């Protein structure tokens, strides 16, 4: 749910580089990402990475609040605040937040997921203080008033129309998640419902802001052309006086064990049928997580992946087929597989072809060469994510929140390198089973 288009976000990552490793194929030779971290008295955790390769600095703030933290009758609040907190503050006039950044030669963005809301600025390094002031204003006294709420309510409703309601296959994730989960709040849409957006009142938004957008529920992560000691002083200057909020308790909902396949049909404004399959898998960092993630990369990453090569290219039963895990924080997480049928191909045929690829992975060990290719892909992704100051800032914050250890930025790749062919076969047999699956047929409306 990015504030601006994803391609711009990706372009920033590519342009504002940090380190480039000498040897991408040997993890043992990878450079260590050094960082300093500390916690202010108000509970704000701060992570600093110093890198003078480019005269830029990435300032990010991760709030540990996503759609899973919302009330069942007030969905979409975290995503709504992604927009609302650009409205300004007590000391920033309405609509001027972006102006400060653009006038300083910087760029900014934000995104919301099931588990977090993430804001960042990429600035010339001499504008570090400006970025910290802006983020402290957002945390301390943002404009949460009727004028901003009504403006952003219309913006978010229009975004929902464009991304979900009026886009072919746009509701796939929403329709799938509400069938995968029966109790856990992951069943709610990140963008929320029109009904809840209309029903919410100003007091509802103020309560949500005061509960979750507090220093003890946030991580400030800064990477780039900084002096660590100076950065510490500036962070203290702008954030230390912000009052600590009430302790935020993350939801602890036990999702009932699924004992049989869930099947359903969704009718959409589409021309070609689609098959959607959702498997419950381990949450981020849990046992089997790394092998499961490699399994779904094997199935779908690139044109030579199992699903693409067989179902799309050889059998020509799909014009598109893919799979990906959502990397959710709490158990169980979800991995999706979906295919759009070729003209004249029935959904049942496409489903059978996809299922056969799962059976192949369960029945036979993947080849050594295929495993090495997988490890090369993860290694490349590791370096891509951590070859930019923006990527480093985000990874440090994510690792602290989800893994409890920011240093996973240096060590987590080793967990992928330890995965064996047998591990991948084991998780395929464990999770790619009918009893662990939700299957949806997306069919054209009459």
């Amino acid at each position: 749910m990015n504030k601006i288009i994803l391609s711009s976000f990706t372009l920033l990552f590519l342009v504002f580089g940090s380190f480039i490793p000498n040897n991408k194929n040997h993890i043992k030779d990878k450079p260590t990402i050094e960082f300093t971290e500390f916690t202010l008295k108000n509970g704000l955790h701060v992570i600093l990475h110093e890198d003078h390769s480019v005269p830029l600095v990435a300032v990010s703030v991760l709030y540990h609040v996503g759609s899973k933290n919302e009330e069942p009758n007030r969905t979409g609040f975290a995503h709504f605040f992604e927009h609302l907190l650009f409205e300004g503050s007590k000391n920033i006039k309405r609509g001027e937040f972006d102006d400060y950044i653009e006038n300083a030669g910087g760029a900014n963005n934000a995104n919301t997921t099931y588990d977090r809301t993430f804001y960042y600025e990429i600035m010339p390094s001499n504008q570090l203080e400006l970025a910290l002031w802006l983020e402290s204003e957002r945390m301390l006294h943002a404009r949460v008033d009727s004028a901003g709420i009504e403006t952003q309510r219309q913006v978010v409703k229009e975004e929902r129309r464009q991304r979900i309601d009026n886009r072919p296959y746009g509701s796939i994730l929403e329709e799938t998640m509400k069938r995968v989960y029966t109790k856990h709040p992951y069943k709610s849409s990140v963008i929320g419902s029109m009904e809840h957006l209309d029903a919410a009142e100003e007091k509802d938004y103020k309560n949500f802001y005061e509960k979750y957008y507090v220093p003890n529920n946030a991580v400030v992560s800064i990477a780039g052309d900084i002096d660590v000691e100076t950065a510490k002083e500036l962070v203290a200057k702008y954030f230390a006086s912000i009052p600590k909020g009430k302790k935020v308790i993350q939801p602890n909902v036990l999702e009932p064990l699924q004992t049989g396949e869930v099947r359903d049909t969704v009718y959409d404004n589409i021309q070609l049928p689609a098959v959607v399959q959702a498997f419950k898998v381990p949450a981020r960092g849990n046992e089997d997580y790394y092998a499961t993630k490699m399994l779904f990369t094997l199935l779908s990453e690139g044109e030579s992946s199992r699903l693409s090569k067989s179902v799309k290219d050889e059998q020509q039963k799909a014009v598109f087929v893919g799979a990906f895990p959502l990397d959710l924080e709490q158990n169980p997480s979800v991995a999706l597989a979906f295919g759009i049928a070729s003209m004249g191909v029935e959904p049942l045929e496409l489903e059978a072809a996809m299922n056969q690829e799962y059976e192949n992975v369960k029945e036979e060990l993947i080849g050594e060469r295929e495993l090495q290719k997988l490890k090369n892909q993860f290694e490349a992704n590791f370096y891509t994510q951590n070859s930019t100051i923006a990527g480093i800032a985000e990874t440090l914050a994510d690792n602290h929140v989800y893994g409890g250890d920011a240093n996973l930025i240096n060590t987590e790749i080793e967990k992928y390198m330890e995965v064996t062919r047998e591990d991948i076969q084991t998780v395929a047999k464990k999770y790619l089973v009918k009893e662990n699956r939700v299957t949806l047929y997306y069919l054209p409306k009459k």
Side-chain angles (χ1 to χ4, degrees):
M1 309 303 175
N2 288 336
K3 178 170 166 284
I4 60 177
I5 59 175
L6 185 62
S7 58
S8 297
F9 182 77
T10 305
L11 182 61
L12 287 172
F13 272 22
L14 295 174
V15 172
F16 298 140
S18 178
F19 74 85
I20 302 295
N22 293 323
N23 191 336
K24 293 173 63 176
N25 296 318
H26 296 86
I27 286 296
K28 64 183 180 180
D29 298 327
K30 73 178 178 66
T32 299
I33 298 175
E34 304 289 347
F35 60 90
T36 299
E37 59 182 332
F38 58 95
T39 303
L40 299 178
K41 290 183 179 180
N42 59 12
L44 179 69
H45 194 75
V46 182
I47 309 174
L48 306 174
H49 167 67
E50 185 174 348
D51 182 342
H52 302 290
S53 59
V54 289
L56 297 166
V57 60
V59 176
S60 69
V61 181
L62 186 158
Y63 291 96
H64 198 181
V65 55
S67 60
K68 79 172 186 300
N69 300 92
E70 299 161 353
E71 296 296 327
N73 63 343
R74 288 293 182 268
T75 61
F77 268 44
H79 172 256
F80 189 89
F81 268 88
E82 175 198 320
H83 291 261
L84 186 63
L85 295 192
F86 283 92
E87 278 286 309
S89 71
K90 179 180 178 181
N91 297 308
I92 302 173
K93 294 180 180 179
R94 193 177 308 281
E96 289 189 353
F97 194 99
D98 287 345
D99 293 341
Y100 277 102
I101 296 168
E102 291 172 6
N103 292 337
N108 70 319
N109 207 335
N111 56 71
T112 309
T113 71
Y114 294 94
D115 295 311
R116 68 163 203 188
T117 306
F118 186 77
Y119 300 89
Y120 76 90
E121 294 83 28
I122 299 177
M123 307 284 277
S125 51
N126 61 1
Q127 298 296 323
L128 170 62
E129 187 166 3
L130 172 62
L132 292 173
W133 173 69
L134 289 169
E135 288 298 344
S136 69
E137 285 290 304
R138 188 167 3 224
M139 186 182 294
L140 180 58
H141 37 223
R143 289 179 181 267
V144 184
D145 56 27
S146 58
I149 289 171
E150 288 308 314
T151 297
Q152 296 305 324
R153 198 195 312 259
Q154 299 310 314
V155 170
V156 173
K157 288 170 71 173
E158 181 59 27
E159 181 182 346
R160 180 181 171 85
R161 293 186 191 99
Q162 292 181 3
R163 290 176 177 244
I164 298 178
D165 298 338
N166 298 333
R167 174 181 287 184
Y169 313 104
S171 62
I172 279 180
L173 188 58
E174 187 171 274
E175 293 291 343
T176 303
M177 295 296 275
K178 69 184 183 184
R179 291 168 173 83
V180 170
Y181 296 98
T182 59
K183 298 291 185 181
H184 198 284
Y186 282 147
K187 67 182 181 179
S188 297
S189 167
V190 173
I191 202 169
S193 74
M194 291 284 200
E195 179 184 357
H196 296 169
L197 290 173
D198 285 332
E201 301 176 359
E202 183 175 331
K203 64 179 181 180
D204 298 322
Y205 291 109
K206 287 187 174 180
N207 290 338
F208 195 82
Y209 174 68
E210 292 170 359
K211 181 176 182 179
Y212 292 108
Y213 297 83
V214 292
N216 46 303
N217 194 47
V219 176
V220 170
S221 182
I222 304 171
D225 187 23
I226 62 171
D227 173 74
V228 168
E229 295 305 316
T230 302
K232 285 182 179 180
E233 294 173 2
L234 290 174
V235 169
K237 176 181 177 180
Y238 288 103
F239 289 92
S241 62
I242 299 177
K244 183 177 184 177
K246 294 181 179 179
K247 183 179 180 180
V248 175
I249 299 176
Q250 297 296 323
N252 184 22
V253 179
L254 182 63
E255 178 66 23
L257 182 67
Q258 183 173 325
T259 58
E261 183 185 27
V262 176
R263 297 185 70 90
D264 209 344
T265 301
V266 177
Y267 293 92
D268 195 5
N269 289 318
I270 56 178
Q271 292 182 317
L272 297 174
V275 175
V276 184
Q277 297 172 319
F279 300 90
K280 290 179 178 176
V281 296
R284 184 169 179 165
N286 281 247
E287 185 180 1
D288 289 344
Y289 167 76
Y290 299 101
T292 303
K293 192 161 184 180
M294 293 187 81
L295 166 65
F296 279 89
T297 300
L298 168 78
L299 290 171
S300 69
E301 185 80 13
E303 289 299 311
S304 61
S305 64
R306 291 285 185 98
L307 286 172
S308 183
K309 185 176 180 180
S310 174
V311 179
K312 182 171 76 75
D313 296 337
E314 295 175 1
Q315 302 180 55
Q316 297 186 356
K317 293 189 182 297
V319 295
F320 177 84
V321 63
F324 63 94
L326 294 184
D327 286 352
L328 300 177
E329 177 184 13
Q330 297 185 353
N331 276 314
S333 184
V334 176
L336 290 178
F338 56 96
I340 299 175
S342 298
M343 186 71 71
V345 174
E346 294 296 324
L348 190 62
E349 295 179 67
L350 175 55
E351 181 187 2
M354 294 168 66
N355 289 345
Q356 185 58 54
E357 291 308 309
Y358 310 149
E359 294 304 314
N360 292 342
V361 181
K362 289 190 281 185
E363 291 172 4
E364 295 183 15
L365 285 174
I366 69 171
E368 290 284 3
R369 187 171 181 178
E370 205 167 16
L371 177 64
Q372 188 56 53
K373 176 188 171 185
L374 278 174
K375 292 186 176 183
N376 290 344
Q377 287 175 306
F378 276 86
E379 207 169 344
N381 290 338
F382 167 82
Y383 283 119
T384 299
Q385 173 68 13
N386 298 324
S387 64
T388 67
I389 56 174
I392 289 172
E394 183 174 14
T395 302
L396 287 169
D398 277 349
N399 287 340
H400 171 76
V401 171
Y402 301 134
D405 182 8
N407 196 49
L408 285 169
I409 197 171
N410 292 311
T411 61
E412 190 171 34
I413 187 62
E414 296 166 7
K415 297 181 183 294
Y416 290 107
M417 297 301 106
E418 293 169 357
V419 172
T420 66
R421 297 187 299 158
E422 289 77 13
D423 293 333
I424 292 175
Q425 184 181 46
T426 297
V427 296
K429 290 180 178 180
K430 187 174 181 179
Y431 300 108
L432 293 180
V433 294
K434 187 176 180 180
E435 296 74 22
N436 187 47
R437 184 171 70 200
V438 171
T439 300
L440 297 182
Y441 280 7
Y442 258 69
L443 301 180
K445 288 183 177 180
K446 299 290 186 182

